[in-house]
């Protein structure tokens, strides 16, 4: 009986081929090892066999072996030492490609045991006669600094890098700038940050600036990006220098690489702040438009990045692309994320001259099959109506045409948009209301229902059957969402205040339901407030519920001004794509309160340097506002409890109004709050009033809630009875004054 020999594995076969006496067989085996490594197979056991093939004149085979070493150096740090002699020997090879490959690989290994052997070859490479080797060595210094900064400083590599900025080869200059920028970023992220004289700090002087501008037009596209990013960090001495930088950077707008174009735009936007000549600023803005438009012919992913940056630029320069509306029209094959960004930009570019073309385009989009895109298109029509008053009527007509299609999601989004238009232009488009009410049965989404209920309540006196329309929502009150419940409650109260004779039953029903059967504390508390207002002072109820509301508007920017300036300095990076500071998604993944406070204080300081008088006045206004807010809260705390229906006597001898705030600064929390040095104003406010409540100075604002009698008790006046007899004189309640 014969015994079968054990089967050999794939790694065994590779090991045999790696040790073959034939060169072609060994090279083919290395290729198969790299292929297995690429698909995720573990071939670390072949490390010694692969290492034997390092010493070869075949450059392709040497690259493959080096690739293997870089991948498995962390798991086999002891065996990597065996390759040191070969690395040192290759760093002195006559072929510059081999010398650069050895330096690059040694820098990428990131093994502690091999770092000390890297210094001597790196010293030679930084002074190599071949520029390819020098530029590779410059990047290797940055990698070494990330691993062991003290080794880089002790060997004087940083001083050599600063000297290499003056290199005659632009490729070397660009890579040196990239290396110095990385080292600068690492050094400044340390706590405490190093002094400005530290060689790790890359300070761009006027002499360095001229060398960078000379190398800018002659290096590769990635080198240009590195130099442009460095130019964005440079602080010009005067407006003439800023003009000079802009003039030298403008030719980069014609580059085929989108990253170079956006980096050039960033430099121009930063240095335009120092330019005082308006003609030159307008000229630079005009020159930005064509390259940005060209980026829209790129693949969708690049388009989206360009659109996000364009959106940011338009918030700073609204006239940047005022004549380029049509290039942002959506194509049939555009992905949804590109279409959404184009819609936002088209609304920003809308004006009296192009609004007709925009509305025609948006109406076409509303007939697309993508529901999300249709909704956003209808919303864009409403935004256009709000931002351009002269085009509002045309926008309303387009919305009416869309409502006539009787498509459910189109009708519902149009109703929501019409609500915003009514808020912007009250008493202007009342003729549309019957059409909206006729589509009541089409609505099944909470936002659409709430919008139509708001319209009915706002124009209740002009809708004959308003009570019937609202009654349908009152009957299903407990089944509706909280958003619809709140709007129904408010709309019924508005109806009652405008038509008391015909709506007594419906208001009684909705108040009873909201106070007894509703699960939402917000809705229930609002019902109690309305009940109290109606039962005590109808005049005050009218003043509160039917108060005039200012018209809405669309903000020109979606980010605060200080953040906008920061993001413009980060154009072509992830910060400008996300429209968020880098701290929110780099590092710990969130931005802390101390970071926000520090950024705010830095912005105030920078403003104070430019406009000291204005900032001083603003700070004094903020202090006065804090003092006034504190007084208001104290007055509200000392007022009669809004939800306490029992007439409890007020405490005598207690300070009120302005006098009450005189005792507050005695506490450290209040002193910090008033002086503006509070680390957490919310905690300070809680401690202020928590302590006062404990000491008996202020009665707990919600202390009377537990003693509140049910609305059905006999001693509580019915809102219908009190409102139906307006001749009865009622003393205005202090709780209303304290609240409103």
């Amino acid at each position: 009986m014969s015994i079968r020999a054990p089967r050999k594995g794939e790694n065994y076969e590779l090991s045999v081929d790696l040790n073959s006496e034939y060169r072609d067989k060994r090279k083919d085996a290395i290729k198969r090892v790299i292929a297995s490594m690429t698909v995720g197979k573990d071939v670390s056991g072949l490390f010694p066999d692969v290492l034997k093939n390092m010493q070869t004149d075949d450059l392709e085979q040497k690259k493959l072996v080096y690739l293997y070493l870089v991948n498995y150096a962390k798991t086999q740090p002891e065996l990597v030492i065996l390759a040191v002699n070969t690395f040192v020997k290759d760093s002195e090879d006559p072929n510059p490609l081999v010398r650069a490959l050895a330096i690059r690989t040694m820098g990428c290994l990131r093994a502690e045991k091999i770092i000390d052997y890297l210094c001597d070859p790196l010293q030679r490479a930084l002074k190599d006669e071949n520029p390819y080797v020098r530029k590779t060595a410059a990047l290797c210094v940055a990698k070494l600094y990330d691993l062991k900064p003290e080794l880089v400083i002790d060997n004087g590599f940083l001083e050599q890098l600063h000297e290499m900025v003056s290199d005659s080869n632009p490729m070397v200059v660009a890579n040196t700038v990239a290396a110095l920028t990385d080292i600068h970023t690492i050094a400044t992220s340390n706590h405490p940050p190093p002094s400005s004289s530290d060689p790790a700090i890359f300070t761009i002087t006027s002499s360095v600036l001229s060398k960078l501008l000379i190398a800018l037009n002659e290096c590769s596209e990635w080198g240009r990006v590195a130099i442009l990013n460095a130019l964005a960090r440079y602080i010009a001495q005067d407006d003439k220098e800023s003009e000079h930088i802009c003039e030298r950077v403008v030719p980069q707008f014609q580059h085929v690489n989108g990253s170079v174009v956006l980096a050039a735009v960033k430099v121009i936007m930063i240095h335009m702040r120092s330019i005082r000549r308006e003609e030159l600023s307008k000229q630079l803005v005009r020159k930005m438009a064509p390259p940005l438009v060209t980026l829209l012919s790129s693949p969708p992913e690049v388009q989206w990045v360009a659109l996000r940056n364009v959106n940011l630029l338009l918030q700073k320069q609204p006239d940047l692309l005022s004549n380029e509306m049509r290039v942002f029209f959506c194509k049939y094959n555009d992905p949804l994320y590109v279409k959404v960004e184009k819609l936002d930009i088209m609304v920003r570019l809308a004006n009296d001259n192009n609004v007709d073309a925009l509305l025609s385009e948006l109406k076409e989009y509303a007939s697309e099959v993508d529901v999300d895109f249709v909704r956003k298109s209808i919303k864009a029509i409403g935004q256009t109506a709000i931002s351009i008053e002269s085009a509002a009527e045309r926008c309303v007509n387009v919305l009416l045409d869309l409502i006539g299609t009787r498509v459910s999601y189109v009708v519902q989004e149009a109703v929501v948009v019409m609500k915003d238009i009514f808020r912007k232009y009250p008493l202007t488009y009342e003729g549309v209301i019957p059409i909206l009410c006729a589509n009541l049965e089409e609505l099944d989404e909470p936002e659409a229902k709430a919008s139509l209920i708001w319209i009915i309540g706002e124009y209740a006196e002009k809708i004959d059957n308003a009570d019937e329309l609202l009654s349908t929502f009152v009957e299903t009150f407990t089944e509706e969402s909280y958003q619809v419940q709140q709007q129904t409650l408010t709309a019924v109260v508005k109806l009652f205040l405008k038509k008391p004779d015909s709506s007594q039953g419906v208001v009684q029903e909705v108040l009873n339901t909201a106070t007894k059967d509703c699960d939402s504390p917000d809705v229930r508390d609002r019902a109690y407030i309305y009940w109290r207002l109606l039962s005590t002072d109808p005049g005050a109820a009218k003043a509160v519920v039917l108060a005039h509301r200012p018209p809405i508007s669309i903000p020109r920017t979606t980010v605060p001004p200080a953040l906008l300036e920061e993001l413009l300095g980060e154009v072509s990076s992830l910060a400008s794509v996300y429209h968020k500071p880098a701290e929110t998604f780099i590092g710990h993944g969130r931005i802390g309160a101390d970071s926000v406070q520090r950024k705010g204080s830095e912005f105030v300081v920078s403003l104070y340097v430019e406009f000291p008088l204005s900032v001083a006045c603003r700070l004094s206004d903020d202090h006065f506002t804090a003092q006034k807010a504190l007084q208001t809260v104290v007055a509200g705390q000392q007022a009669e409890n809004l939800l306490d229906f029992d007439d409890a006597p007020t405490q005598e001898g207690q300070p009120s109004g302005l006098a009450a705030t005189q005792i507050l600064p005695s506490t450290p929390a209040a002193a910090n709050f008033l002086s503006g040095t509070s680390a957490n104003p919310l905690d300070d406010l809680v401690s202020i009033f928590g302590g006062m409540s404990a000491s008996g100075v202020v009665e707990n604002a919600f202390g009377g809630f537990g003693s509140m009698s049910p609305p059905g008790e006999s001693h509580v006046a019915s809102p219908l009875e009190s409102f139906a007899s307006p001749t009865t004189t009622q003393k205005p309640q202090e709780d209303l004054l304290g609240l409103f």
Side-chain angles (χ1 to χ4, degrees):
M1 179 177 178
S2 61
I3 300 175
R4 178 180 297 179
R7 294 182 61 184
K8 305 299 182 182
E10 183 180 2
N11 282 4
Y12 177 81
E13 296 176 0
L14 289 173
S15 177
V16 172
D17 290 345
L18 287 170
N19 292 281
S20 173
E21 58 181 328
Y22 301 106
R23 179 185 301 176
D24 293 340
K25 206 169 186 179
R26 293 198 302 268
K27 185 175 180 179
D28 182 65
I30 294 173
K31 289 182 178 180
R32 284 188 286 147
V33 168
I34 298 298
S36 299
M37 183 183 73
T38 304
V39 297
K41 293 181 180 179
D42 182 18
V43 287
S44 58
L46 300 173
F47 200 95
D49 300 315
V50 175
L51 205 60
K52 295 177 184 177
N53 292 274
M54 278 186 66
Q55 298 184 9
T56 177
D57 296 331
D58 189 344
L59 186 59
E60 182 183 4
Q61 180 176 328
K62 191 179 288 290
K63 287 182 179 180
L64 292 172
V65 174
Y66 281 178
L67 181 62
Y68 179 88
L69 289 178
V70 170
N71 193 58
Y72 285 110
K74 289 184 179 180
T75 59
Q76 306 282 351
E78 294 82 6
L79 295 177
V80 173
I81 298 296
L82 302 176
V84 168
N85 290 333
T86 305
F87 282 129
V88 174
K89 181 181 176 181
D90 286 348
S91 67
E92 299 175 352
D93 194 273
N95 188 343
L97 294 177
V98 176
R99 297 200 299 271
L101 182 62
I103 294 296
R104 180 188 295 113
T105 306
M106 290 181 75
C108 292
L109 287 178
R110 302 184 71 84
E112 290 287 340
K113 296 184 178 181
I114 206 171
I115 289 177
D116 295 330
Y117 298 96
L118 176 59
C119 295
D120 291 338
L122 188 57
Q123 285 277 14
R124 292 193 299 269
L126 288 171
K127 299 176 182 178
D128 199 281
E129 60 182 9
N130 191 283
Y132 181 76
V133 180
R134 294 200 301 273
K135 72 100 177 174
T136 305
L139 294 177
C140 188
V141 172
K143 296 174 183 176
L144 184 59
Y145 186 88
D146 188 30
L147 290 174
K148 207 168 184 180
E150 59 274 9
L151 191 64
V152 174
I153 296 172
D154 294 342
N155 285 274
F157 290 146
L158 292 179
E159 287 77 5
Q160 288 182 262
L161 276 186
H162 284 285
E163 294 174 1
M164 289 172 66
V165 175
S166 305
D167 198 280
S168 59
N169 189 285
M171 183 173 60
V172 176
V173 174
N175 282 266
T176 302
V177 169
L180 286 172
T181 302
D182 287 346
I183 293 172
H184 175 89
T185 303
I186 296 171
T188 52
S189 63
N190 297 330
H191 295 286
S195 62
S196 57
S197 58
D198 193 303
I201 300 299
F202 182 31
T203 304
I204 304 176
T205 61
S206 298
S207 59
V208 173
L209 174 67
S210 60
K211 294 166 186 172
L212 296 184
L213 291 175
I214 292 173
L216 180 60
N217 292 322
E218 301 177 14
C219 56
S220 65
E221 53 193 12
W222 304 116
R224 297 187 189 202
V225 172
I227 292 177
L228 288 169
N229 288 334
L231 292 176
R233 285 181 42 239
Y234 179 70
I235 301 176
Q237 304 297 323
D238 51 27
D239 57 334
K240 295 293 183 183
E241 193 171 36
S242 295
E243 292 179 8
H244 175 64
I245 293 173
C246 291
E247 290 173 358
R248 297 291 295 271
V249 170
V250 161
Q252 304 305 317
F253 287 161
Q254 302 175 3
H255 202 280
V256 68
N257 188 294
S259 183
V260 176
V261 173
L262 288 178
V265 169
K266 173 171 65 176
V267 175
I268 298 295
M269 291 298 295
I270 290 175
H271 288 283
M272 272 178 58
R273 301 169 187 168
S274 305
I275 296 178
R276 299 179 181 176
R277 290 196 296 158
E278 292 187 7
E279 295 181 1
L280 180 59
S281 298
K282 292 180 180 178
Q283 182 181 358
L284 291 172
V285 170
R286 284 197 301 270
K287 289 182 178 180
M288 276 188 217
L292 292 175
V293 169
T294 304
L295 290 176
L296 298 182
S297 59
S298 308
E301 296 80 8
V302 180
Q303 272 191 62
W304 185 74
V305 172
L307 289 168
R308 293 291 289 175
N309 283 277
V310 167
N311 195 331
L312 204 62
L313 293 169
L314 287 174
Q315 296 184 42
K316 181 66 176 178
Q317 297 286 346
D319 298 331
L320 178 61
L321 298 166
S322 56
N323 298 324
E324 305 292 345
M325 165 77 80
R326 291 188 175 277
V327 300
F328 294 100
F329 284 174
C330 300
K331 300 177 182 177
Y332 73 95
N333 58 348
D334 280 341
L336 178 61
Y337 57 88
V338 172
K339 290 180 178 180
V340 170
E341 284 302 317
K342 286 184 174 181
L343 278 178
D344 192 10
I345 292 175
M346 282 192 285
V347 173
R348 291 189 180 279
L349 295 177
N351 54 44
D352 292 331
N353 298 326
N354 56 26
V355 68
D356 289 329
L358 174 61
L359 289 177
S360 175
E361 193 74 11
L362 292 177
K363 188 176 180 181
E364 290 294 327
Y365 298 160
S367 60
E368 295 279 346
V369 294
D370 192 320
V371 176
D372 290 336
F373 182 53
V374 170
R375 290 181 181 276
K376 292 183 182 300
S377 301
I378 297 173
K379 192 172 294 184
I381 296 174
Q383 292 172 342
T384 305
I386 294 172
S387 58
I388 305 176
E389 184 174 356
S390 59
E393 186 175 354
R394 283 171 281 179
C395 295
V396 171
N397 291 333
V398 172
L399 290 172
L400 291 178
D401 292 341
L402 294 176
I403 292 175
T405 61
R406 308 289 291 182
V407 178
S408 177
Y409 56 87
V410 173
V411 173
Q412 299 195 76
E413 194 65 34
V415 170
V416 175
V417 168
M418 283 303 305
K419 180 257 299 179
D420 292 334
I421 294 177
F422 278 122
R423 292 184 62 189
K424 175 66 175 178
Y425 309 107
L427 307 176
T428 304
Y429 300 105
E430 299 171 5
V432 181
I433 296 176
I435 301 176
L436 299 179
C437 295
N439 290 273
L440 181 62
E441 297 180 357
E442 299 284 340
L443 309 182
D444 54 14
E445 297 176 2
E447 189 177 6
K449 287 183 178 180
S451 298
L452 185 56
I453 292 169
W454 182 88
I455 294 172
I456 296 172
E458 192 71 12
Y459 296 92
E461 74 278 9
K462 300 182 180 180
I463 303 176
D464 296 335
N465 61 338
D467 52 343
E468 297 178 7
L469 296 175
L470 292 177
S471 295
T472 59
F473 293 102
V474 173
E475 292 172 0
T476 59
F477 189 84
T478 56
E479 302 172 6
E480 301 288 353
S481 65
Y482 295 148
Q483 181 182 10
V484 176
Q485 287 179 356
Q486 285 191 333
Q487 287 296 342
T488 302
L489 178 60
T490 304
V492 170
V493 173
K494 287 180 182 178
L495 174 66
F496 178 65
L497 292 173
K498 294 177 180 180
K499 296 180 178 181
D501 298 332
S502 61
S503 56
Q504 293 182 2
V506 68
V507 75
Q508 182 69 67
E509 182 181 355
V510 76
L511 287 175
N512 283 329
T513 305
T515 53
K516 293 180 180 179
D517 304 330
C518 185
D519 297 332
S520 170
D522 293 335
V523 177
R524 191 167 58 247
D525 291 350
R526 179 177 293 199
Y528 280 128
I529 292 174
Y530 286 154
W531 191 295
R532 184 62 183 272
L533 282 172
L534 294 173
S535 63
T536 54
D537 192 345
K542 277 193 173 184
V544 172
V545 180
L546 302 181
H548 173 71
R549 284 168 294 277
I552 62 173
S553 60
I554 297 179
R556 193 169 62 88
T557 60
T558 57
V559 294
L563 180 58
L564 178 60
E565 293 296 334
E566 179 185 349
L567 293 179
L568 288 174
E570 301 291 340
V571 167
S572 77
S573 69
L574 281 177
S576 66
V577 173
Y578 292 155
H579 290 189
K580 296 178 181 178
E583 291 90 339
T584 59
F585 55 87
I586 292 179
H588 297 292
R590 64 181 64 183
I591 184 167
D594 54 343
S595 301
V596 175
Q597 193 171 14
R598 185 175 68 251
K599 284 183 176 295
S601 61
E602 290 173 356
F603 181 66
V604 170
V605 169
S606 64
L607 285 180
Y608 187 80
V609 172
E610 298 183 19
F611 314 104
L613 184 59
S614 301
V615 174
C617 295
R618 177 61 183 271
L619 292 178
S620 64
D621 290 344
D622 290 344
H623 177 78
F624 175 75
T625 303
Q627 177 81 23
K628 186 176 179 181
L630 202 53
Q631 294 170 359
T632 304
V633 175
V634 171
Q637 287 271 17
Q638 289 203 312
E640 180 187 351
N641 182 12
L642 177 69
L643 299 179
D644 188 2
F645 289 97
D646 296 332
D647 296 329
T650 58
Q651 296 181 1
E652 296 182 359
Q654 298 294 344
S656 62
L658 297 178
T661 62
Q662 301 305 317
I663 64 171
L664 289 178
S666 61
T667 63
N672 291 337
F673 179 77
L674 291 175
S675 61
T677 59
S678 172
N680 193 333
L682 183 59
D683 289 347
D684 287 343
L685 278 176
V686 171
S687 63
I688 291 170
F689 298 113
M692 289 176 61
S693 178
S695 61
V697 176
V698 180
E699 185 182 7
N700 184 1
F702 297 100
F705 200 96
S707 61
M708 182 182 64
S709 302
E713 295 290 335
S714 59
H715 69 278
V716 179
S718 168
L720 304 179
E721 296 170 356
S722 58
F723 193 84
S725 55
T727 57
T728 305
T729 58
Q730 295 190 4
K731 182 180 177 181
Q733 299 297 313
E734 293 178 2
D735 54 2
L736 292 177
L737 299 178
L739 179 66
F740 302 106

